[in-house]
Amino acid sequence: EAQVTQNPRYLITVTGKKLTVTCSQNMNHEYMSWYRQDPGLGLRQIYYSMNVEVTDKGDVPEGYKVSRKEKRNFPLILESPSPNQTSLYFCASSSGTSGYNEQFFGPGTRLTVL
Amino acid sequence: QKEVEQDPGPLSVPEGAIVSLNCTYSNSAFQYFMWYRQYSRKGPELLMYTYSSGNKEDGRFTAQVDKSSKYISLFIRDSQPSDSATYLCAMSARGSTLGRLYFGRGTQLTVWP
């Protein structure tokens, strides 16, 4: 089944404790992206990657890191999480070949930083 | 000014009603217009897309684009409780950064029996 998977689905952590949220897709997509979703603010792009070893900042990159060492994986790293990073996070992928750039989203990771 | 504006609602309608959801945008380079549907505790999924101006119909759903007014709409006929979800408009420009989509904030819709 074609899908984007994320782990963990739920995470409660404390300020300053480094964490990684994994994302994997099995559709051989070139493009991958991370979003955060907050009430009243909608989906905001954090980072995106157009291919292996190619990443770039989205609209809200501060406090986050990413890497793309393999085509299928795109982990999101929070080196020193803070309470304002409490949010719902989505990973998405796209083939990038269709003009409308349909993105396939993972199920989401709900992060709480205390 | 955000590139894509969408009234977040919430919107609550009885079963069978016609629902109208709307977005406005400022970037005239946008050529592809999409509607994503997001059920509670799920990721968004593509519902419909339209290229440039015009209408597109898929069952009970109709997407309209008016590029002259920079305004897009999604109509849901004979709405059902299963349509209760958040609807997000999204747009992209032809030849834009590979895969880049611009989302509205989403409109939360509840259809009650």
Side-chain angles (χ1 to χ4, degrees), chain A residues 3 8 28 40 50 56 67 74 76 88 95 98 105 110:
Chain A
Q3 60 182 347
N28 200 36
M50 291 187 284
D56 208 347
S67 69
F74 190 43
L76 180 69
L88 179 58
S95 66
S98 67
F105 285 81
R110 185 166 293 280

Side-chain angles (χ1 to χ4, degrees), chain A residues 99-100, chain B residues 30-35 46-57 62-67 72-74 90-92:
Chain A
Y100 56 95
Chain B
F30 288 147
Q31 295 275 4
Y32 296 92
F33 304 92
M34 289 143 277
W35 288 94
L46 182 65
L47 181 63
M48 294 183 71
Y49 79 92
T50 311
Y51 173 68
S52 196
S53 281
N55 294 358
K56 187 172 184 178
E57 189 172 318
T62 299
Q64 285 187 353
V65 176
D66 181 348
K67 290 193 72 181
I72 71 169
S73 301
L74 177 71
M91 308 177 188
S92 68

Side-chain angles (χ1 to χ4, degrees), chain B residues 47-97:
Chain B
L47 181 63
M48 294 183 71
Y49 79 92
T50 311
Y51 173 68
S52 196
S53 281
N55 294 358
K56 187 172 184 178
E57 189 172 318
D58 183 0
R60 297 183 293 109
F61 298 88
T62 299
Q64 285 187 353
V65 176
D66 181 348
K67 290 193 72 181
S68 62
S69 302
K70 295 191 177 67
Y71 187 87
I72 71 169
S73 301
L74 177 71
F75 297 96
I76 307 174
R77 291 186 302 280
D78 187 25
S79 55
Q80 303 294 309
S82 59
D83 295 328
S84 298
T86 296
Y87 292 80
L88 301 103
C89 61
M91 308 177 188
S92 68
R94 190 182 184 89
S96 69
T97 303

